[in-house]
Amino acid sequence: MIEGIIFDLDGVIVDTAKYHFQAWKRMAAELGVNFTEVENEQLKGVSRRGSIDKILNWGGISLSEEEIEKWMRIKNEWYLEYVAGMQPSEILPGADRIIAEAKSLGLKVSLGSASKNSRFILEKVNLIDQFDAIVDGTVVSASKPDPEVFLTGAKQLGLEPSKCLVFEDAVAGVQAANNGNMKVIGVGDSTILAEATLTFPNLENVRLKEDIIDKI
Ligand code: B16
Ligand code: MG
């Protein structure tokens, strides 16, 4: 029986990937590297450090540890400028309704995100008060597909992992949930997220109880 829900942030609750893309593209341009939307897709769910390592690798660039730290800081400053104007209207269709449905069913709700900016973003879209726990890149060190972020979420909710259900849009996130012995709802392309328990292209018309909990 499911007693808790753990939501990924980017790609499930909000589309921050487009803001990450703008900021990484700006950094890549300064470094004389072309960075494409196709490449950006591969950064979903990947940590900030993991992302810069990939971009530099694709661009054939090698930087000192100090330079890498500097560019991560600058990229994040740009990213924070872009997300500063986010509004509740940017919540992806159905995400807020599913969170509300979970709470009305008496389920606990946690965030499970790689982002170090998750609290800022949840405040911007007015959802921060809906979460019983927020587990993000500021509290965990291992990246998805390591299950640490979701196992920490289950622990903070006081639940066994097997009683938690994860919502994820990234392959590595789906694998992280499976590695943590949790059922997982893939949000996106069912062929890409084939390892998920169930997938939906988006959450717009999905009902938590009838379409998910009663079926898994
Ligand atoms: P930050 P998620 C992830 O969020 C993003 O998908 C990924 O593109 C980003 O690099 C990562 O957060 C770290 O974000 O730079 O804000 O710490 O999908 O795990 O919610
Ligand atoms: Mg995501």
Side-chain angles (χ1 to χ4, degrees):
M1 185 63 187
I2 296 301
E3 294 181 17
I5 312 275
I6 305 179
F7 292 90
D8 174 48
L9 179 64
D10 175 32
V12 173
I13 297 177
V14 285
D15 176 21
T16 40
K18 62 187 178 202
Y19 301 116
H20 282 296
F21 177 63
Q22 285 176 38
W24 285 129
K25 191 159 179 72
R26 191 167 161 187
M27 181 201 79
E30 299 251 352
L31 293 169
V33 168
N34 188 35
F35 175 59
T36 66
E37 286 201 56
V38 174
E39 288 168 334
N40 193 56
E41 281 299 307
Q42 296 179 50
L43 302 185
K44 289 189 175 175
V46 177
S47 69
R48 197 179 306 167
R49 177 58 194 251
S51 299
I52 194 169
D53 284 347
K54 280 177 184 280
I55 293 168
L56 295 176
N57 188 36
W58 292 328
I61 287 189
S62 172
L63 295 181
S64 67
E65 199 55 36
E66 211 178 10
E67 284 281 292
I68 290 174
E69 291 293 331
K70 182 193 85 177
W71 281 114
M72 284 201 296
R73 186 175 40 76
I74 294 172
K75 179 268 175 178
N76 198 53
E77 284 169 10
W78 290 333
Y79 175 72
L80 287 175
E81 278 171 26
Y82 302 148
V83 296
M86 283 184 84
Q87 302 280 332
S89 60
E90 289 186 60
I91 297 170
L92 289 170
D96 47 350
R97 182 183 42 72
I98 289 194
I99 294 169
E101 211 182 322
K103 294 180 82 75
S104 74
L105 291 171
L107 306 177
K108 297 252 173 69
V109 175
S110 175
L111 191 79
S113 166
S115 177
K116 293 184 171 171
N117 298 302
S118 72
R119 284 178 185 270
F120 183 67
I121 289 159
L122 289 176
E123 272 166 16
K124 288 287 160 194
V125 298
N126 235 343
L127 283 178
I128 194 136
D129 295 337
Q130 302 302 308
F131 288 84
D132 300 298
I134 294 179
V135 179
D136 66 10
T138 63
V139 286
V140 296
S141 49
S143 298
K144 302 167 187 176
D146 189 289
E148 183 187 8
V149 65
F150 297 139
L151 292 177
T152 306
K155 200 170 176 187
Q156 289 203 8
L157 295 180
L159 298 174
E160 289 296 320
S162 61
K163 298 206 165 152
C164 294
L165 174 68
V166 171
F167 281 71
E168 252 295 344
D169 71 309
V171 174
V174 168
Q175 291 168 340
N178 283 329
N179 289 337
N181 191 28
M182 297 173 178
K183 295 229 165 64
V184 52
I185 304 306
V187 183
D189 187 324
S190 61
T191 52
I192 295 170
L193 303 174
E195 294 169 60
T197 314
L198 287 177
T199 52
F200 299 94
N202 58 63
L203 299 176
E204 189 162 9
N205 297 311
V206 178
R207 298 162 302 172
L208 180 60
K209 187 170 186 310
E210 291 86 344
D211 299 326
I212 298 177
I213 292 182
D214 288 350
K215 297 210 164 136
I216 57 176

